[in-house]
């Protein structure tokens, strides 16, 4: 049984990969309950009933974590876990109804990351799953998929400066971080995303959320003055953030078009 990750598709079409989990459990009710619960909490979950089914599945699928029942008909979970660990880097949580010290010791000795005694609370299982996934090295293919799914960061260069709009960071030519207040960065972002375009004080105020402030025009002027001191060689004669008397401001960015 496969439980799709309901959180894999973010808003706006952004894809967010989540860890893939496989459950091997011969009790159908428990297997379905665990799969549904973990799926609802942001994981891609596949559930099978036996070691043989998992061995077949592993030929074409990769997982970051396996939850293995120890006492199953046919091949038991301890043997299956030993085989998995030899085959790939994967987190393993064992589950057993016995809860004997021997089972626990053997499981940990062959590389289990955690151990649950049935019946267990699903919330506790979720906490242990998250903990194990944070600790276990992920396969290179999974890391590459994660990187590929991330949208490219929005970075804009102007003169010797580099602005990372997603990280909200501006660095100078030497790589030193330019210390900008939140309001100053907000102002800079307005201009960098609308380069070479005349912006009135009203437009700027609306873009940074000052529209309801009766002193918004003055607030815009103050922030522009502060921003110039940090990005202009000569704030009195700016080359980036220029004033158009009586109309507003324009940010000069060669090679870019306003939009």
């Amino acid at each position: 049984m496969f439980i799709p990750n309901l959180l894999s598709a973010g808003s706006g079409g952004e894809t967010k990969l989540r860890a893939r989990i496989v459950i091997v459990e011969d009790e159908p009710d428990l297997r379905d309950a665990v799969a549904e619960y973990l799926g609802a909490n942001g994981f891609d979950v596949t559930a099978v009933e036996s070691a043989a089914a998992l061995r077949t599945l592993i030929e074409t699928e990769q997982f970051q974590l396996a939850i293995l029942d120890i006492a199953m008909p046919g091949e038991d979970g301890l043997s299956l876990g030993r085989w998995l660990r030899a085959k790939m880097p994967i987190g393993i949580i064992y589950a057993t109804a016995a809860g004997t010290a021997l089972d626990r010791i053997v499981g940990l000795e062959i590389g289990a990351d955690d151990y649950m005694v049935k019946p267990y609370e699903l919330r506790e299982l979720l906490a242990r799953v998250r903990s194990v996934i944070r600790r276990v090295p992920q396969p290179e293919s999974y890391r590459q998929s994660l990187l590929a799914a991330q949208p490219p960061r929005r970075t804009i260069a102007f003169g010797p400066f580099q602005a990372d709009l997603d990280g909200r960071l501006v660095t100078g030519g030497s790589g030193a971080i330019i210390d900008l207040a939140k309001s100053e960065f907000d102002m800079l972002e307005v201009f960098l995303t609308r380069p070479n375009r005349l912006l009135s004080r009203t437009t700027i105020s609306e873009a940074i959320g000052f529209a309801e402030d009766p002193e918004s025009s003055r607030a815009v002027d103050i922030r522009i003055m502060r921003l110039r001191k940090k990005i202009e060689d000569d704030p009195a004669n700016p080359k980036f953030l220029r004033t158009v008397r009586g109309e507003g401001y324009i940010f000069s960015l060669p090679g870019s078009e306003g939009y």
Side-chain angles (χ1 to χ4, degrees):
M1 179 182 68
F2 172 68
I3 303 293
N5 170 18
L6 301 179
L7 303 183
S8 61
S11 60
E14 179 183 348
T15 300
K16 297 180 181 180
L17 291 184
R18 302 293 187 183
R20 301 195 66 208
I21 298 174
V22 63
I23 301 164
V24 186
E25 171 61 59
D26 66 315
E27 297 180 31
D29 291 343
L30 178 59
R31 182 173 67 239
D32 292 347
V34 172
E36 183 176 356
Y37 185 78
L38 294 179
N41 278 278
F43 297 100
D44 288 328
V45 184
T46 300
V48 295
E49 74 285 353
S50 67
L54 179 61
R55 284 178 177 265
T56 299
L57 189 64
I58 289 297
E59 294 178 3
T60 56
E61 301 286 345
Q62 282 192 327
F63 300 94
Q64 285 70 59
L65 175 68
I67 301 173
L68 308 179
D69 182 22
I70 289 182
M72 296 185 293
E75 183 181 8
D76 64 35
L78 294 175
S79 172
L80 180 61
R82 189 182 299 111
W83 175 78
L84 275 174
R85 269 291 160 77
K87 195 171 184 64
M88 67 183 68
I90 188 170
I92 295 177
I93 297 177
Y94 284 118
T96 178
T100 66
L102 180 61
D103 278 345
R104 185 165 187 257
I105 291 170
V106 172
L108 295 174
E109 283 181 347
I110 67 172
D113 295 283
D114 213 332
Y115 187 94
M116 297 287 291
V117 177
K118 296 190 290 186
Y120 47 75
E121 290 287 338
L122 291 177
R123 285 181 298 179
E124 180 184 356
L125 175 64
L126 177 62
R128 290 174 183 254
V129 164
R130 287 172 172 164
S131 176
V132 170
I133 285 176
R134 283 195 297 266
R135 302 195 310 263
V136 175
Q138 304 301 339
E140 181 62 26
S141 59
Y142 179 73
R143 291 197 296 269
Q144 292 300 324
S145 296
L146 211 58
L147 291 174
Q150 296 175 353
R153 296 183 75 88
R154 297 178 301 149
T155 58
I156 299 175
F158 58 103
F161 302 101
Q162 186 83 12
D164 180 348
L165 300 186
D166 294 315
R168 296 184 63 81
L169 187 70
V170 178
T171 53
S174 64
I177 296 175
I178 308 303
D179 185 18
L180 296 181
K182 178 183 181 300
S183 59
E184 294 165 355
F185 189 92
D186 290 344
M187 181 73 69
L188 179 61
E189 184 173 8
V190 168
F191 286 111
L192 289 178
T193 54
R194 302 165 178 81
N196 307 322
R197 173 175 158 184
L198 177 62
L199 301 179
S200 68
R201 288 177 175 81
T202 299
T203 298
I204 297 169
S205 296
E206 291 175 349
I208 60 178
F210 286 169
E212 302 302 322
D213 185 348
E215 299 295 325
S216 60
S217 292
R218 178 61 179 158
V220 166
D221 292 339
I222 290 174
R223 282 162 176 76
I224 285 179
M225 179 182 65
R226 292 175 179 169
L227 185 57
R228 279 175 173 160
K229 289 180 179 180
K230 298 181 179 181
I231 65 172
E232 300 282 3
D233 291 333
D234 182 2
N237 297 284
K239 64 178 180 180
F240 297 123
L241 221 174
R242 298 186 292 107
T243 301
V244 179
R245 190 174 298 276
E247 296 189 54
Y249 298 93
I250 187 169
F251 196 95
S252 297
L253 194 62
S256 296
E257 297 295 332
Y259 56 90

